[in-house]
Amino acid sequence: MLKGLLSVLLVLGTLTSTMGKPEKTTVKKEKRVPQTLSRGWGDQLIWAQTYEEALFWSRSRNKPLMVIFHLEDCPHSLAMKKAFAEDKEIQKLADEEFIVLNLMYETTDKHLSPDGQYVPRIILVDPSMTVRADITGRYSNRMYAYEPNDIKLLLSNMQRALKFLKTEL
Amino acid sequence: MLKGLLSVLLVLGTLTSTMGKPEKTTVKKEKRVPQTLSRGWGDQLIWAQTYEEALFWSRSRNKPLMVIFHLEDCPHSLAMKKAFAEDKEIQKLADEEFIVLNLMYETTDKHLSPDGQYVPRIILVDPSMTVRADITGRYSNRMYAYEPNDIKLLLSNMQRALKFLKTEL
């Protein structure tokens, strides 16, 4: 994780290293592409920006929240992102029934890392603001990790999060 | 503020109201434009996504953090956004010397609302993670509010935040 963060910083360092260049503005900066909130996990989804915002939406719209932790230089995250973004069923369900949030930095809420901080990690949260630690993936050492092969498991886990919701109501 | 949030929800409700439509996928959804992290406050700046991320960057790169609270349906926020995005000096200084974060939802850190939660509100935070409550705008009842006419005051406040930093080092 730390290594990941450092890489992010290195990248940023490169991007902003125009600082300290000669005063004259003849140095043409390359135009940056605006960052998106989706970060490639589904441009058509409506992403919450922060955990606070996501919790607010989840409560007020009575939809479960899906929090995706990832890093842009982590090959497992990238592979999962591709699978997630290309899976039409996942995208449709996420769009219609979930509040979605993708984060590259951990929050202060320890409930979001029931078995540690690693990426990729997908945590489902009930609208009652309870982390659904019971909804896990396939790996006993990293219970909330998913690989591209697990995409159907993720889909069924999303459906479980919804079913629980309906049973409770 | 609450009214603002409700309006956001109403907009979102409209955007996602395709739910419950006939099963057939003949209803063509309009393609959404991916949300950007800049939200119009400067597409060329590198925006932090969350407060935690921004604090991490601020500490590790020893740059002050500027947190902009705003709402997309607030005319004062929109006017300030326009002035901020169009001011080349502000954009350059923000790009080179600051960590920037714009938020539409409050965080759990009460230090970010020294005199209440309102928008637009611009709070400067030292890399030591101390909110610079002493750096204020022109209005005694909303000390961290800025209007388009105050853009040069904001610029000088940013310079003050940097100067303090250099004096301390």
Side-chain angles (χ1 to χ4, degrees):
Chain A
M1 177 69 184
L2 186 62
K3 204 181 151 197
L5 292 182
L6 286 175
S7 313
V8 169
L9 287 175
L10 283 175
V11 171
L12 290 167
T14 318
L15 283 173
T16 55
S17 67
T18 42
M19 202 176 18
K21 288 259 175 76
E23 297 278 297
K24 278 191 178 176
T25 50
T26 44
V27 184
K28 236 190 179 172
K29 273 195 261 182
E30 229 172 277
K31 217 177 176 197
R32 298 183 192 130
V33 177
Q35 305 148 276
T36 61
L37 271 178
S38 71
R39 290 205 181 86
W41 287 85
D43 280 352
Q44 294 303 300
L45 300 181
I46 294 171
W47 294 89
Q49 178 184 0
T50 64
Y51 186 45
E52 289 84 3
E53 182 173 339
L55 285 176
F56 177 86
W57 287 4
S58 174
R59 284 190 70 162
S60 54
R61 301 171 61 191
N62 199 36
K63 289 183 173 186
L65 162 63
M66 174 189 272
V67 187
I68 303 171
F69 290 93
H70 67 111
L71 283 173
E72 298 205 320
D73 60 350
C74 156
H76 296 281
S77 297
L78 291 175
M80 191 57 205
K81 169 161 41 179
K82 190 169 182 288
F84 186 93
E86 288 175 357
D87 191 294
K88 284 185 185 163
E89 270 184 290
I90 293 256
Q91 290 287 315
K92 186 173 192 295
L93 195 63
D95 185 30
E96 295 179 352
E97 307 286 355
F98 283 78
I99 304 301
V100 286
L101 171 70
N102 76 78
L103 290 174
M104 300 200 301
Y105 285 74
E106 296 291 335
T107 71
T108 50
D109 186 349
K110 287 178 186 170
H111 296 103
L112 289 178
S113 46
D115 64 347
Q117 300 181 344
Y118 51 85
V119 294
R121 183 169 103 246
I122 300 180
I123 307 280
L124 295 165
V125 185
D126 197 73
S128 64
M129 296 177 69
T130 312
V131 169
R132 293 292 307 268
D134 60 312
I135 302 186
T136 62
R138 206 180 289 285
Y139 313 100
S140 58
N141 56 336
R142 294 187 163 201
M143 297 211 293
Y144 307 93
Y146 294 84
E147 303 225 337
N149 281 339
D150 308 327
I151 200 86
K152 292 302 165 208
L153 173 61
L154 177 61
L155 185 67
S156 88
N157 279 349
M158 289 167 72
Q159 282 155 348
R160 265 180 72 198
L162 284 172
K163 203 169 171 186
F164 190 81
L165 191 69
K166 277 180 195 149
T167 319
E168 273 209 321
L169 290 177
Chain B
M1 176 73 183
L2 186 64
K3 202 180 151 197
L5 293 181
L6 286 175
S7 313
V8 169
L9 287 173
L10 283 175
V11 171
L12 289 167
T14 317
L15 282 172
T16 55
S17 67
T18 43
M19 204 177 14
K21 288 263 172 76
E23 298 277 300
K24 278 191 180 177
T25 51
T26 45
V27 184
K28 237 191 179 169
K29 272 195 262 184
E30 226 171 281
K31 217 177 176 195
R32 295 180 195 134
V33 177
Q35 305 148 276
T36 61
L37 271 178
S38 71
R39 290 206 181 86
W41 287 84
D43 281 352
Q44 294 302 300
L45 300 182
I46 294 171
W47 294 90
Q49 178 184 359
T50 64
Y51 186 44
E52 289 85 1
E53 184 173 338
L55 285 177
F56 177 85
W57 288 4
S58 175
R59 284 191 71 163
S60 55
R61 300 172 61 193
N62 199 36
K63 289 183 173 186
L65 162 63
M66 174 190 273
V67 188
I68 303 170
F69 290 93
H70 66 111
L71 283 173
E72 297 205 317
D73 60 351
C74 155
H76 297 280
S77 297
L78 292 175
M80 191 56 205
K81 168 160 43 180
K82 190 168 181 290
F84 187 92
E86 288 174 357
D87 191 294
K88 284 185 186 163
E89 271 185 288
I90 293 257
Q91 290 287 315
K92 187 173 189 293
L93 195 63
D95 185 30
E96 295 179 353
E97 307 287 355
F98 282 79
I99 305 299
V100 286
L101 172 70
N102 76 79
L103 291 173
M104 299 199 301
Y105 286 75
E106 296 291 335
T107 71
T108 49
D109 186 349
K110 287 178 187 170
H111 296 103
L112 288 178
S113 45
D115 64 347
Q117 300 181 344
Y118 51 85
V119 294
R121 181 168 105 247
I122 300 180
I123 307 282
L124 295 165
V125 185
D126 196 71
S128 65
M129 296 174 70
T130 312
V131 169
R132 294 292 307 269
D134 59 312
I135 302 185
T136 61
R138 205 180 290 285
Y139 312 100
S140 59
N141 56 336
R142 295 187 162 201
M143 295 209 294
Y144 308 93
Y146 294 84
E147 303 225 337
N149 281 339
D150 307 327
I151 200 84
K152 292 303 165 208
L153 173 61
L154 177 61
L155 184 67
S156 89
N157 280 349
M158 288 168 72
Q159 282 155 347
R160 265 179 73 197
L162 284 171
K163 203 169 172 186
F164 190 82
L165 191 69
K166 277 179 195 152
T167 320
E168 272 210 320
L169 290 177

